[in-house]
């Protein structure tokens, strides 16, 4: 029970010692077609010097949406990933795009057939979760073992996520880029923009995770290896703002049925009350307010008061608007979303981020050398 990274490293070492050519890693919550294993076995008879990935169909949505068909790491953009055929509807007009096979930097570990003759994985076990599949695929390709993603290997995978993932996404992306500086940028300027966005949108919990990821990354690979996975996860989970569920809004049919029911009770008289569930205040976002109006409204004390339940503002690029006390955390392509309260402490956390980024700029060279050599804390 050492997370995706530890499980992968243990499996790779086990099957390598047994003399096998391939092994397959899979998530435990995917849905497979009946002939999936047969297809994998057939490919294993021909696949040499390459890993074989799968397309990932999103499981918990009504449409047949492919999340990606493999992906590449964005070289110039820190925290960037370029998906191949992202969010393609298998029942839409553009489904022909997924019928070819693609060579990619990596394919997710929801299901991946690994060539054991390729370069051994070198990622730190304490990465635990997130971006370990990216690091393995990218560094394998640097070692001339790419990942191919054919069109006839499809798994269905849920699109839920945990707030704590944000910390691991940031920290592990920095480790990946520090270890592979010849092809990947580790830009302090771009990290400052990310921190600035988090401040402007007042996502203080994610700003705290961003700061914690920066701080832990700068402690170096020695500290990472000595850290305790359970303690790190507990600490990061405590940073996440407690979500508030969004009450389900009644449909037009439910409203009509409730009115008819009350009318029948009142013997033809118009109903004064209904048995409808409580309706969450849903505001129309409309067009984004001009910056001048946003600034003026944020200077008013009333702008920082959060309603209970918190209001939803839709159709807003930054997921916030005048007087908004929360941001909407949406699970893509699903009907699931949560409200997380904003906090005025955002500017203070941003100032901390700037101090950390300034220190990162000063020691970036030493950090890169330490992570490349898997040495001790610089």
């Amino acid at each position: 029970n050492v997370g995706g990274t530890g499980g992968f490293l243990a499996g790779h070492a086990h099957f390598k010692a047994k003399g096998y050519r391939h092994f397959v890693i899979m998530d435990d919550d995917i849905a497979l077609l009946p002939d999936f294993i047969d297809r994998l076995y057939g490919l294993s008879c021909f696949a040499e010097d390459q890993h074989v990935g799968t397309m990932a169909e999103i499981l918990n949505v009504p449409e047949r949406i492919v999340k990606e068909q493999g992906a590449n790491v964005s070289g110039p953009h820190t925290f960037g990933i370029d998906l191949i055929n992202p969010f393609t509807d298998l029942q839409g007009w553009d489904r022909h795009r997924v019928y070819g096979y693609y060579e990619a930097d990596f394919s997710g570990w929801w299901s991946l057939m690994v060539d054991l003759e390729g370069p051994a994985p070198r990622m730190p076990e304490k990465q635990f979760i997130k971006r370990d599949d990216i690091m393995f695929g990218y560094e394998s390709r640097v070692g001339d073992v790419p990942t191919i993603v054919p069109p006839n290997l499809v798994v269905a995978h849920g699109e839920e996520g945990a707030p704590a993932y944000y910390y691991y996404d940031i920290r592990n992306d920095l480790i990946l880029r520090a270890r592979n500086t010849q092809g990947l940028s580790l830009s302090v300027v771009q990290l400052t923009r990310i921190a600035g966005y988090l401040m402007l949108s007042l996502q203080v919990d994610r700003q705290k995770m961003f700061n914690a990821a920066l701080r832990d990354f700068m402690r170096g690979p020695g500290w990472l290896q000595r850290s305790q996975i359970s303690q790190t996860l507990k600490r990061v989970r405590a940073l996440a703002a407690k979500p508030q569920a969004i009450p389900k809004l009644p449909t037009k049919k439910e409203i009509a049925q409730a009115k008819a029911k009350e009318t029948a009770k009142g013997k033809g008289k118009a109903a004064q009350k209904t048995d409808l569930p409580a309706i969450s205040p849903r505001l129309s976002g409309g067009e984004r307010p001009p910056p001048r109006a946003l600034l003026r409204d944020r200077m008013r004390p009333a702008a920082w008061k959060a309603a209970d339940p918190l209001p939803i503002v839709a159709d807003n690029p930054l997921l916030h608007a005048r007087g908004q006390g929360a941001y909407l955390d949406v699970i893509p392509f699903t009907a699931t979303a949560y409200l997380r309260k904003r906090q005025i402490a955002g500017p203070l956390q941003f100032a901390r981020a700037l101090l950390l980024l300034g220190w990162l700029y000063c020691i970036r060279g030493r950090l890169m050398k330490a992570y490349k050599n898997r040495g001790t804390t610089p």
Side-chain angles (χ1 to χ4, degrees):
N1 189 23
V2 287
T5 309
F8 176 81
L9 293 175
H12 193 285
H14 172 79
F15 291 111
K16 179 76 172 179
K18 292 287 186 180
Y20 290 102
R21 179 62 190 257
H22 301 94
F23 86 101
V24 178
I25 181 172
M26 289 185 182
D27 281 355
D28 61 357
D29 59 349
I30 57 174
L32 303 175
L33 295 175
D35 63 347
F36 182 82
I37 302 299
D38 294 336
R39 290 176 182 269
L40 266 182
Y41 174 73
L43 283 168
S44 73
C45 297
F46 302 97
E48 293 185 1
D49 300 322
Q50 58 193 6
H51 308 306
V52 180
T54 53
M55 288 197 299
E57 185 177 338
I58 301 176
L59 182 64
N60 50 337
V61 296
E63 300 84 5
R64 295 197 63 192
I65 303 294
V66 171
K67 181 179 180 180
E68 64 185 62
Q69 194 173 0
N72 297 311
V73 180
S74 176
H77 294 99
T78 303
F79 203 43
I81 294 175
D82 300 321
L83 305 181
I84 298 173
N85 292 330
F87 309 121
T88 303
D89 188 346
L90 289 179
Q91 297 171 320
W93 65 269
D94 59 346
R95 62 182 181 272
H96 64 276
R97 297 188 304 177
V98 303
Y99 292 153
Y101 83 88
Y102 294 88
E103 186 176 297
D105 281 348
F106 70 94
S107 182
W109 280 354
W110 40 72
S111 179
L112 178 73
M113 186 172 75
V114 177
D115 187 337
L116 287 164
E117 296 298 316
R122 300 189 305 115
M123 74 279 286
E125 177 183 306
K126 297 300 179 69
Q127 280 191 231
F128 184 53
I129 52 175
K130 303 301 289 182
R131 305 223 169 201
D132 38 13
D133 50 354
I134 299 175
M135 183 177 293
F136 174 70
Y138 184 86
E139 294 185 347
S140 289
R141 188 169 189 176
V142 171
D144 295 325
V145 178
T147 299
I148 64 164
V149 187
N152 58 349
L153 285 179
V154 184
V155 301
H157 188 269
E159 189 62 8
E160 294 287 346
Y165 285 178
Y166 194 78
Y167 163 88
Y168 289 100
D169 265 327
I170 291 287
R171 190 196 71 181
N172 294 347
D173 184 70
L174 294 175
I175 295 173
L176 166 66
R177 292 173 182 276
R179 287 161 53 95
N180 298 278
T181 52
Q182 290 183 344
L184 302 179
S185 167
L186 205 168
S187 170
V188 174
V189 173
Q190 291 172 359
L191 289 169
T192 303
R193 290 173 182 167
I194 295 173
Y197 165 78
L198 294 172
M199 180 196 67
L200 290 173
S201 56
L202 298 179
Q203 300 181 32
V204 177
D205 53 346
R206 290 185 177 175
Q207 182 75 78
K208 290 178 180 178
M209 291 183 196
F210 178 88
N211 292 352
L214 276 178
R215 185 172 58 250
D216 291 350
F217 165 69
M218 288 191 292
R219 286 172 170 170
W223 178 89
L224 180 67
Q225 196 57 37
R226 293 190 300 270
S227 65
Q228 297 298 317
I229 291 174
S230 59
Q231 293 300 317
T232 302
L233 187 59
K234 181 179 180 181
R235 172 168 57 93
V236 174
R237 282 175 171 167
L239 298 177
K242 186 178 180 181
Q244 174 180 307
I246 301 173
K248 182 182 178 182
L249 297 177
T251 64
K252 291 182 180 180
K253 183 178 180 181
E254 290 173 333
I255 293 175
Q257 289 175 344
K259 287 183 176 180
K261 181 179 178 181
E262 292 299 331
T263 300
K265 286 183 179 179
K267 297 181 180 180
K269 296 181 179 179
Q272 298 297 317
K273 295 182 180 181
T274 67
D275 295 329
L276 290 176
I279 299 178
S280 170
R282 184 175 291 272
L283 309 179
S284 173
E287 296 183 359
R288 181 183 176 186
R292 181 174 54 188
L294 277 174
L295 181 61
R296 182 188 66 239
D297 286 349
R298 290 205 178 281
M299 295 175 64
R300 296 166 49 220
W304 303 101
K305 293 182 179 179
D308 191 15
L310 296 165
I312 304 168
V313 176
D315 306 324
N316 196 295
L318 288 180
L319 302 180
H320 72 280
R322 305 180 189 186
Q324 179 66 359
Y327 67 92
L328 190 62
D329 191 3
V330 181
I331 306 300
F333 293 93
T334 74
T336 304
Y338 300 97
L339 289 172
R340 300 187 188 276
K341 289 188 178 182
R342 303 184 192 279
Q343 300 175 33
I344 198 171
L348 176 61
Q349 292 297 327
F350 178 65
R352 290 179 179 175
L354 291 180
L355 291 175
L356 289 168
L357 288 167
W359 181 237
L360 173 61
Y361 182 81
C362 295
I363 66 171
R364 183 171 52 177
R366 284 184 290 158
L367 275 173
M368 291 175 179
K369 184 177 180 180
Y371 276 105
K372 284 180 181 178
N373 297 332
R374 302 181 66 183
T376 57
T377 305

